[in-house]
Structure formats: structure tokens, C-alpha cells
Amino acid sequence: MTIHENYSLRACNTFGIDAKAARFCAVASVVDIWTAIKQNTDKLPVFILGGGSNLLLRHDLPYLVLKNEIKGIKIVEENDETALVAAGGGENWHDFVLWCIAHNLGGVENLSLIPGTVGAAPIQNIGAYGVELKDVFERLDATHLGTGGIGTFDAYICDFGYRDSIFKRGLKGKYAITRVYFRLQKTHKLNLSYGAIAQTLEAKGIKKPTIKDVSDAVIEIRSSKLPDPTEIGNSGSFFKNPELSKTDFEAVETNFPDIVHYNLPNGNVKVPAGWLIEQCGWKGKRVGNTGAYKNQALVLVNYGNASGAEVWSLAEEIAQSVADKFGIRIVPEVNVLPYQN
Ligand code: EPU
């Protein structure tokens, strides 16, 4: 285990931003985390990095960055209907999904091709095409970055919400998620509620889809809308889709009768941020080295040498224009670092 000083994070974030960590170390076990914490005698704040796919590095990080490389996937318990699968926090998320499909275990196929790691997935309760991580989550193991104490957290403690959990609130930055346990189905219950999946399957003439068919459809849909981070730097959706009260929504709808929206079971109304941003004229627009992607305005991109500050400045400008036009505040979904107080 080597601790590096002044380490470039360019290859460690899918936005491809060239910011540096004051100190950097890859950790492959809980013991490695303990060792790194013990050696952190000048008490730099500790930050756990996963796949770096949901991050915007605005500046260099005055942190000790620990890259989670804890590996291993196995079935730890099973019955006739389900299997409990444990996966190391440093496993690549999509590789984990493919492992589940290869073992004929259903539940995560709609979450195919989401960049990032298994350990980062619960933090923002990753979701796509009608499924969220919380739907298959059983529990997780985590190590406290201050004391080194280890704990187990169930779904109740994690308190998942839309792109949200306790690890984005009260426990933000406090724990390394070392292992996640998923309850997966042997008898598959496919979720085809998201129109594009059903359309893609139909276009391929698939009448009785398998979990592999659904995964392939999701991969096709994602690839057509979202830029490949190995070609164009990005962090997926940059902002969350805002949720408005019915009254607030109706006030906006009076002025914008065509506004795209979804009624939520709790009575609120969700508006796609991608639509709001497109209406403000940002879709496909390039500003210096950055811009809003041509096929999905919610995705901000780095065309080459954008600095984190440049992307952040565009994000602020976009949010301001949405607020000015619609009176709706959109907030980042990505983790913006260093943290602002
Ligand atoms: N839209 C536009 N213009 C755009 C983009 C979207 O008008 O440029 C409108 C369209 O009407 C479209 C609607 O917005 O029907 C929704 O778009 P889309 O289906 O692409 O989904 P999204 O709400 O923009 C969310 C997630 C994605 C996830 C997809 C599919 C958030 C913040 N994003 O995007 O997650 O893949 O749904 O489930 O909830 C991510 O979190 O990084 C991510 C990519």
C-alpha cells in the first residue's frame, strides 16, 4: 500500500478533470483503510473515491483520498426464490450486474451500464428505467473514517430517497462502504414499466424477454442518449429532477402549458431537469471546453481540457437560467468537491 503526495486524479474521475489530491492511496481491504487512517497523523479530511463517475472536482482536493478497491462477489445465502449476494465496495457496478445475469439472478438488469462502483451505489441510491438500488438492497458493511469502527447498516438506517441516502446527509463523508449485500431473484420479476425498454424489445421482436434481453435493451438505450465517458468526459445527469408541490407546479404550468411532468404517488409533481435546461436553449450548446450534451441536456460534458471551475461555472449559469425562466431551482445530483460549507 503506497501513499502518494500531490496525486493527479485525472484518470480517476469520468469528467476527466485534472485536479490533484494532497494525498492518495488505493485500499483493497478494511485493514488497508485502518493503516491509511493511522498514518494520517496530520488529520487531513479523508475522502473515499469509487469509480469517480458522480463527481465534479472544482479544484485540487486538500484531502487524503482513498480509492476503494475492495473486491469479491459471492452468494452468501440462498433459498428457492432468492439469493443474497455480497459484493466488495470496489467492484465495478456494471461488472457486478453482468455477474448477476451470468448467475441467472434478477433485479439489477435495469441498472446495467451505470458507471461507478458497488460501494458508491447506495450513497445516491442509483436508479434507472423504473428500478432503484433500494429495491434489491439488503444491508451494507462500512468502516468509520475517524475511528476505524466497523458497522452494518440496513435499509431503514440508510433511509433511501430519490438519488439520496443518509450517506449524503448526516453521515456524509463519514464512512467507507466496504461491502454491499443484495437480495436477488431466482424467479425473475421483470420491470418493463419504462416505455423505451418495451419499445426496444418489441423492435427486436422479443416477446418473452430474459434478464439478459432487458440488460441489452438498457445498454442500447443508455448508449444512444448518454455520452461514453471514455470518449467525452461527463458524470451522467448533472442535476436532479426537481420535485414540486402540486400548487407550485400548477403556477408554473399556467405559464408553460407544455411542461413535461410526472405525477408522483405522494401528490407532488416531478419535472425532468433535461427538459427545463433544453427549453432554456442549452442543449448541444458549447461554452469553451464544456457544454450540455447534444442528446441529453441534463448531462454536462468536458470536450477536452475543461477545468472543474469552468464546468461549475456553466452549471451555475444553467441553474440560474432555469430559475429565471421557470422559477424552479435545480440542484446538482453529482458530488461537487471540495465540499462547500
Ligand atoms: N428531456 C428533454 N430534453 C433533454 C433531456 C430530457 O426534453 O435534453 C425530457 C424528455 O421529455 C424525456 C424526459 O426529459 O422524456 C426524461 O428524460 P430521460 O428519460 O432521459 O430521463 P431523465 O429524467 O433525464 C433520469 C435519470 C437518469 C436515468 C434516466 C432513465 C435523474 C437525475 N436522471 O434521467 O440517470 O438513466 O432517468 O431512468 O434522475 C444519472 O443519474 O446519472 C442518470 C443518467
Side-chain angles (χ1 to χ4, degrees):
M1 203 187 83
T2 315
I3 299 185
H4 304 267
E5 304 270 334
N6 218 14
Y7 187 88
S8 170
L9 297 172
R10 187 175 198 143
C12 301
N13 72 101
T14 59
F15 242 125
I17 303 290
D18 192 12
K20 292 188 176 61
R23 235 167 272 153
F24 175 92
C25 176
V27 289
S29 66
V30 173
V31 174
D32 280 356
I33 297 175
W34 287 339
T35 309
I37 293 173
K38 211 167 163 189
Q39 290 181 16
N40 185 27
T41 46
D42 47 356
K43 300 269 180 256
L44 283 184
V46 183
F47 176 75
I48 300 290
L49 182 69
S53 58
N54 201 44
L55 270 191
L56 174 65
L57 301 170
R58 285 184 305 136
H59 302 294
D60 291 345
L61 299 186
Y63 299 159
L64 163 62
V65 173
L66 301 184
K67 184 163 190 304
N68 187 343
E69 292 189 348
I70 299 174
K71 295 287 167 70
I73 308 178
K74 69 174 179 185
I75 296 176
V76 289
E77 196 185 291
E78 59 187 315
N79 57 38
D80 289 348
E81 277 100 46
T82 68
L84 185 67
V85 176
E91 287 286 350
N92 172 276
W93 174 264
H94 183 60
D95 289 347
F96 165 69
V97 172
L98 294 180
W99 185 97
C100 296
I101 291 168
H103 288 75
N104 204 28
L105 294 171
V108 285
E109 55 281 358
N110 293 42
L111 305 178
S112 296
L113 211 61
I114 295 185
T117 56
V118 165
I123 298 178
Q124 60 146 343
N125 181 27
I126 58 169
Y129 308 108
V131 174
E132 286 183 327
L133 169 119
K134 72 173 174 54
D135 303 331
V136 288
F137 178 87
E138 180 106 353
R139 61 176 193 269
L140 62 81
D141 296 336
T143 302
H144 192 276
L145 297 172
T147 63
I150 50 181
T152 294
F153 296 72
D154 62 14
Y156 179 77
I157 300 286
C158 292
D159 195 22
F160 295 117
Y162 164 60
R163 293 296 190 279
D164 195 36
S165 77
I166 191 153
F167 298 103
K168 278 182 112 174
R169 290 177 263 122
L171 298 184
K172 185 168 179 168
K174 299 231 180 332
Y175 280 90
I177 296 175
T178 52
R179 205 161 295 284
V180 186
Y181 298 78
F182 302 88
R183 178 67 65 183
L184 300 169
Q185 311 135 7
K186 291 184 177 175
T187 312
H188 308 143
K189 298 183 201 93
L190 301 182
N191 183 330
L192 308 178
S193 60
Y194 200 90
I197 296 186
Q199 285 156 21
T200 306
L201 292 169
E202 201 183 312
K204 290 179 170 178
I206 298 172
K207 298 227 160 39
K208 282 192 170 176
T210 61
I211 52 175
K212 169 88 168 54
D213 293 330
V214 174
S215 169
D216 288 346
V218 168
I219 290 171
E220 197 175 310
I221 300 162
R222 284 190 78 94
S223 310
S224 70
K225 281 194 185 180
L226 303 171
D228 178 349
T230 60
E231 285 161 21
I232 303 179
N234 75 91
S235 275
S237 302
F238 192 91
F239 298 96
K240 286 192 198 188
N241 288 328
E243 194 175 316
L244 310 184
S245 70
K246 188 111 186 116
T247 323
D248 286 350
F249 174 74
E250 280 165 2
V252 183
E253 196 184 25
T254 312
N255 295 326
F256 302 95
D258 297 338
I259 188 166
V260 178
H261 62 281
Y262 314 101
N263 295 317
L264 298 175
N266 64 7
N268 287 345
V269 182
K270 191 176 265 193
V271 179
W275 184 85
L276 297 170
I277 296 169
E278 181 173 350
Q279 296 301 308
C280 292
W282 291 104
K283 192 171 184 172
K285 190 164 170 177
R286 183 169 175 157
V287 182
N289 291 309
T290 180
Y293 190 57
K294 61 179 174 25
N295 296 342
Q296 200 350 330
L298 188 52
V299 178
L300 304 191
V301 294
N302 173 7
Y303 287 109
N305 290 313
S307 67
E310 203 177 349
V311 177
W312 181 239
S313 155
L314 174 72
E316 284 188 309
E317 213 183 317
I318 289 176
Q320 190 58 51
S321 69
V322 168
D324 291 346
K325 186 171 172 108
F326 295 100
I328 297 176
R329 199 170 146 257
I330 54 172
V331 296
E333 191 237 84
V334 298
N335 207 352
V336 181
L337 292 177
Y339 293 128
Q340 295 164 294
N341 294 314

